[in-house]
Amino acid sequence: MDGKISIAYLQSYIQSHDYHPKLVQDYFLELAEEAGELARAMHKGLRRRVRSGARLTRKFGT
């Protein structure tokens, strides 16, 4: 590998190391949980910036 990770490489790695087609629903639920945790962390970070007086004018126009 040349140091760059591609989607195809990740897919083949996961399939060869941790792939159980019967657990598709479990995989999806785990992914949804992780996405929720990421969203909460991002939201918490934005609230902290706004409370500290940081302005988000460039990105959000406020």
Side-chain angles (χ1 to χ4, degrees), residues 24-58:
V24 170
Q25 184 176 0
D26 294 335
Y27 283 128
F28 178 77
L29 292 174
E30 184 71 27
L31 176 63
E33 181 181 351
E34 294 298 326
E37 289 177 13
L38 176 61
R40 279 190 294 278
M42 291 173 65
H43 181 71
K44 186 176 182 180
L46 285 176
R47 282 188 300 170
R48 193 174 294 146
R49 285 171 123 183
V50 171
R51 285 185 185 154
S52 69
R55 298 212 24 117
L56 302 175
T57 55
R58 288 187 184 149

Side-chain angles (χ1 to χ4, degrees), residues 3 6 10 12-14 17 20 23 33-34 38-39 43 48 51 54 57-58 60:
S6 67
L10 287 173
S12 66
Y13 180 85
I14 291 169
H17 287 81
H20 308 285
L23 300 176
E33 181 181 351
E34 294 298 326
L38 176 61
H43 181 71
R48 193 174 294 146
R51 285 185 185 154
T57 55
R58 288 187 184 149
F60 300 105

Side-chain angles (χ1 to χ4, degrees), residues 1-14:
M1 176 145 250
D2 60 2
K4 296 181 182 178
I5 296 176
S6 67
I7 298 296
Y9 170 77
L10 287 173
Q11 289 172 330
S12 66
Y13 180 85
I14 291 169

